[in-house]
Structures are given as structure tokens and as C-alpha cells.
DNA sequence: TTTGCGTCGATTGTCGACAGTTGAATTAAA
DNA sequence: TTTAATTCAACTGTCGACAATCGACGCAAA
């Protein structure tokens, strides 16, 4: 029994023999994330296969991967579609996100090192800098990154994965309206109470502050959504060429 | 604009034009749930297709559906496998479950009606009855059902769906060792504090009690797992009747 | 006995094909 | 002008096929 020796250090990373299916999923994810594919839009596997230069089988498998994540919906005999939220659903997703993030953050307080805390502070500083520079689009990205760090420090990889999934879903809508936030500096500032609670290593306080922080975001976004900024489902309100770009 | 009248009552359920892929996913899910497919076991799509009498395409699509839920793992060029937990991962899943359930339960306290509360109490009574009758297997099922009711009353369908997914994952291991619990009545009894907190409609108290309740379960299960009761990959180590009870 | 190298059957990833549907355009009827 | 049939191209779900790959086996060399 000489096989539980030292866990020999890895020299090379295991290289990823990525199959087409997951690469397709990746592409579609990206397309949804940056708005090339809009909520509710049809994703014809045949067409996608043509564009990607593959056969339909791996495309369909890739879409199935996204389907059980909720990003893609399939109506049998009708095809695949980018999932389109209504306001209630959006609220549920935000609620879920909050649930996960509060839990992770609480754990993070207990686990993080001084260095971790400093990284979080630096990230918030970045939000201020981007606000100064007027880079609102990038600020949204870095805002997400801050919250992702929190989840990561929580130490539950499963929760982190879910957060990433949700982030991808929300990005589909949010990134598009990055410029709709009126006051980027206010965004940055709203992270200060979180930092304070983190510094104090006070889980209950962090929980409370984060709850408020996320609640604000949810209300803001859901409200925007309700005003129709997001509502891509009733296309009649759009101009013709807008509609045409949306549907195929 | 006469089209937002009363939301005409549905008479027939929309019948499901189930495609093969999702039916395959269903079958595999069930097979994992009741132990016909064991953690770590290979799921060859060709073989599965042969058994189900279909071609490989829908089988592979179905497996992809389960893959992003974490139930199935695919190693490119090597095939699909039923995901096998190690103890750490199991702990993460339990942690996630707790996170979701605490959140849902808190919301449930605020939303539930008297009747809902009564249903929950009845469900716990069922646990007592099953303990008396020695129906430990069924007790595990009804135990899950109780916790699912909580999640359902929370009102977030997204969270409920996640709970169901996790339940399916855990059932793969847990249901099998139902009879390994030493004291079924103790199981039933452990739900009493929850009922009390629910009756009192005290979210904080419910949260605390539920936390403890789930923590106990987690510790119990993870411990069992560590002793090897779950490690179905090396069944050889178990006695014959243990094995038989496990694999039905 | 261990280590390394072909061989070979089984399995995987991907492809192209085909029948059955769908939804949009088109035509005919009211 | 509205409503109902008809037509048709495009797409979907599923299938069988094929080359590439894997891993188990056996055999030879150390």
C-alpha cells in the first residue's frame, strides 16, 4: 500500500478536449450575454449549425445544456428560444440570487483572509474609478465581479456555479441598460456599507446591508423592466426594423 | 381592446408533446433515483439507445439536459457517467439545500394561510404514523415531501425547481439508506420545533430551528457517507445483506 | 514479475438524410 | 375587407452511418 504518498504536484494543466456541444453552449451563452441574441428570439438549430459550420447534432446538444439552466426554452416541434422573462420571473431570479449571495457572504466573512478583504475593497475602489471615467458599461461588469468575489469567498463551489448561471441570465438584460443608471457614483457608494461590515467581520450586519443593497438593485431593475425597457415580448411597440432585427 | 377580459378558465390541460430527449432524461433520472444507475456508473449512450429502442441522438440530448444539472458528468471522448460525490461535495449540496430552504421557509411564514399550516402539521403527523408502522423507506419520501411543501409555500418557483433538482440528487444516495436511520420516531420528533415556529409565525425562530434541523441531517448523512455506507462504487466492502438492502 | 507495445472490439463525436410539422405567404370564398 | 382554405419553403425530431478514439487484452522485452 504505497499509493497514498504525497499527492504528487501537478506540473501540466489537464488540457480540455472540448467537445463541440459545450463550445456551442459557450457561443450561445456569449451571444445572449452581449445581446446578439435577444430574449424571446428563436434559435433555429439548423441555422445555427450552418453559421457555426457544424452539423445539427452538437448544436442541439449544446442547446440542451442551456435548457436545463433556464436560459433556453424548447417548445417541442417548434424549436429553441432564448428564454424571455416577465417581471415576476425576473423578481424570482433576483430573489434567488439574493438567497445565494447572502448565504455565501455570511460564510465569506468567517473564511476570508485580510488579503481577501483588501481585494474586495480594491474592487469597490475600481467601481469609483470607473464612475469617474464615465465607463458605466464596464462598471456593471465590475460590479458583478465584486459580488462574484463574495460568492467565491463563501467557499461553496456549487453556489458559485449557480451564481454564474444567474449572472449570465441577468446580464442578458442588465448589460443592455447599463447606461440607464443615472448615477454611477451612487452605485459605487452603495457598496461602502458592505465593505464596512466586511471589515468589522460582522456576518449579521453584512447580511442586513447586503439584503438592502440587493433589494435596491432588484427594485430598480424590476421597475425598469416594468416600464418596458426590457420587455421584448410585445414587439408591436417597436419600429419595423427593430422588430426585423429581433426575429431572424 | 376587449382582449383583457376575465382570464378564461382552462378546461383541458395542455397536453405535453413530450419529445424523446426529455423522456430519456426522465427515465435516467428515475433510474438514478431508485438505484438502478449507481453513482460513478457509466451511461453509454449507444447501449441506452438500444435499451430504449431509439437512436442515439435523443439519448445524448437527454443526457445533456441532466449534465448541466450536475447529475450526469461527461468526459469528452470517454462518455457519460452518473456523477459520484465525494464527502466534500455532498456537504456543499447540503449547504446549498439549506440556503434555499431557509430562504423559502422564511418567505413561507409570511405567506402561508391557516390551511397551509395545517397541511404542514398533517404531514409531520404522517411521519409519526410511518414511524409507528416501521415504514422507514416511505418515511424518507414523506420527509422530503414536508420540506418540499415548505419550499413551495415560499412562492419562488425557481427555488422550488432547484430544490427538486437537489432532492433528486440526494435521493440517489439517501433513500437507499433509509433503513440505516436508527430511530424513525426521532426523525418525526425532530420536526416538532419547526411546526411550533410555524404556528408562531416567527421567521427568525423558524430559520434557527430549521438551520439546526438541517445541520443535524447533514452531519448524520455526511458521517454515514464517510463511513462508506454511501460509497456505492466499492460495494465489495459491504456484507451481503447490506448490499442487498442497498440495491433493492 | 513488471513494463511497454500492437491488436481489436466497442464506443464516441459528428455528419448527412428523410419524413412529418409549422408558420407565413397566397389564394379563394364570404 | 375579413375570414377560411391552400401552398410551400424552412425547420424539427429522429435515424443510421462513418471515421476517430479508447481501453482491455495479449505478447514480447527487460
Amino acid at each position: 500500500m504505497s499509493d497514498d504518498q504525497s499527492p504528487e504536484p501537478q506540473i501540466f494543466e489537464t488540457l480540455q478536449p472540448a467537445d463541440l456541444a459545450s463550445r456551442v453552449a459557450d457561443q450561445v451563452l456569449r451571444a445572449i450575454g452581449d445581446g446578439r441574441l435577444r430574449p424571446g428570439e428563436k434559435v433555429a438549430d439548423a441555422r445555427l449549425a450552418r453559421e457555426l459550420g457544424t452539423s445539427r447534432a452538437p448544436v442541439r446538444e449544446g442547446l440542451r445544456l442551456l435548457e436545463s439552466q433556464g436560459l433556453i426554452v424548447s417548445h417541442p416541434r417548434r424549436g429553441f428560444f432564448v428564454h424571455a422573462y416577465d417581471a415576476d420571473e425576473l423578481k424570482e431570479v433576483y430573489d434567488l440570487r439574493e438567497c445565494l449571495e447572502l448565504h455565501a457572504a455570511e460564510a465569506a466573512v468567517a473564511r476570508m483572509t485580510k488579503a481577501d478583504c483588501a481585494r474586495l475593497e480594491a474592487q469597490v475602489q475600481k467601481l469609483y474609478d470607473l464612475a469617474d471615467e464615465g465607463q458605466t458599461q464596464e462598471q456593471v461588469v465590475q460590479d458583478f465581479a465584486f459580488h462574484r468575489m463574495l460568492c467565491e469567498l463563501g467557499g461553496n463551489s456549487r453556489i458559485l456555479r449557480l451564481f454564474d448561471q444567474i449572472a449570465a441570465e441577468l446580464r442578458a438584460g442588465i448589460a443592455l441598460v447599463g447606461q440607464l443608471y443615472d448615477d454611477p457614483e451612487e452605485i459605487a457608494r452603495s457598496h461602502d456599507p458592505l465593505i464596512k461590515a466586511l471589515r468589522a467581520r460582522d456576518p449579521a450586519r453584512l447580511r442586513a446591508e447586503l439584503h438592502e443593497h440587493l433589494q435596491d438593485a432588484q427594485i430598480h431593475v424590476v421597475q425598469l423592466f416594468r416600464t418596458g425597457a426590457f420587455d421584448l415580448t410585445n414587439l408591436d411597440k417597436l419600429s419595423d426594423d427593430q422588430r426585423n432585427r429581433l426575429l431572424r
Side-chain angles (χ1 to χ4, degrees), chain A:
Chain A
M1 288 231 185
S2 65
D3 57 0
D4 63 338
Q5 290 178 335
S6 61
E8 54 176 291
Q10 191 122 347
I11 299 176
F12 294 100
E13 287 181 36
T14 33
L15 35 88
Q16 299 275 66
D19 51 324
L20 277 194
S22 52
R23 276 197 281 166
V24 168
D26 231 59
Q27 287 286 327
V28 174
L29 197 63
R30 195 152 311 169
I32 294 175
D34 63 23
R36 262 145 50 221
L37 279 175
R38 310 278 218 85
E41 191 169 348
K42 173 161 188 174
V43 186
D45 58 31
R47 181 173 148 73
L48 191 47
R50 244 176 283 135
E51 291 195 19
L52 294 173
T54 73
S55 74
R56 290 171 49 219
V59 171
R60 291 175 61 81
E61 286 183 29
L63 290 173
R64 294 297 191 191
L65 278 174
L66 299 177
E67 182 178 354
S68 52
Q69 289 180 32
L71 262 158
I72 291 285
V73 186
S74 86
H75 301 280
R77 311 226 142 262
R78 189 151 303 173
F80 297 90
F81 300 81
V82 180
H83 184 222
Y85 296 101
D86 56 29
D88 291 334
E89 233 176 322
L90 189 65
K91 225 165 149 186
E92 287 198 347
V93 174
Y94 257 100
D95 185 50
L96 171 58
R97 178 199 160 167
E98 182 177 325
C99 161
L100 297 173
E101 198 171 329
L102 289 178
H103 191 83
E106 217 165 24
V109 169
R111 295 168 34 97
M112 71 179 175
T113 65
K114 277 247 160 68
D116 292 330
C117 193
R119 278 201 305 144
L120 286 165
E121 292 180 37
Q123 187 65 22
V124 170
Q125 184 54 49
K126 209 184 274 182
L127 296 184
Y128 276 107
D129 297 344
L130 289 167
D132 286 349
E133 299 162 25
Q135 305 227 33
T136 51
Q137 197 80 273
E138 177 66 10
Q139 199 200 30
V140 174
V141 174
Q142 294 302 331
D143 191 351
F144 260 116
F146 170 81
H147 290 277
R148 187 181 189 280
M149 282 169 71
L150 264 184
C151 285
E152 195 171 10
L153 291 173
N156 186 326
S157 65
R158 193 84 182 213
I159 288 181
L160 181 61
R161 216 183 64 192
L162 270 177
F163 179 86
D164 281 337
Q165 280 185 18
I166 290 173
E169 293 184 60
L170 292 180
R171 198 160 25 205
I174 310 308
L176 297 177
V177 289
Q179 48 281 69
L180 291 188
Y181 282 103
D182 354 279
D183 187 354
E185 180 144 346
E186 166 62 23
I187 298 282
R189 221 174 7 244
S190 69
H191 289 76
D192 285 343
L194 305 180
I195 292 296
K196 277 188 197 145
L198 281 163
R199 276 223 201 88
R201 290 190 177 266
D202 182 338
R205 184 168 156 203
L206 178 60
R207 195 181 176 86
E209 293 288 1
L210 192 52
H211 172 68
E212 202 171 335
H213 180 91
L214 292 174
Q215 209 62 29
D216 284 351
Q218 172 184 338
I219 288 168
H220 188 177
V221 170
V222 171
Q223 207 162 46
L224 272 176
F225 187 96
R226 285 231 156 83
T227 65
F230 281 150
D231 196 354
L232 303 171
T233 49
N234 43 356
L235 291 166
D236 357 309
K237 293 176 188 162
L238 300 173
S239 71
D240 272 2
D241 70 312
Q242 269 181 315
R243 175 166 46 239
N244 288 339
R245 269 189 310 168
L246 275 179
L247 305 181
R248 75 153 326 158

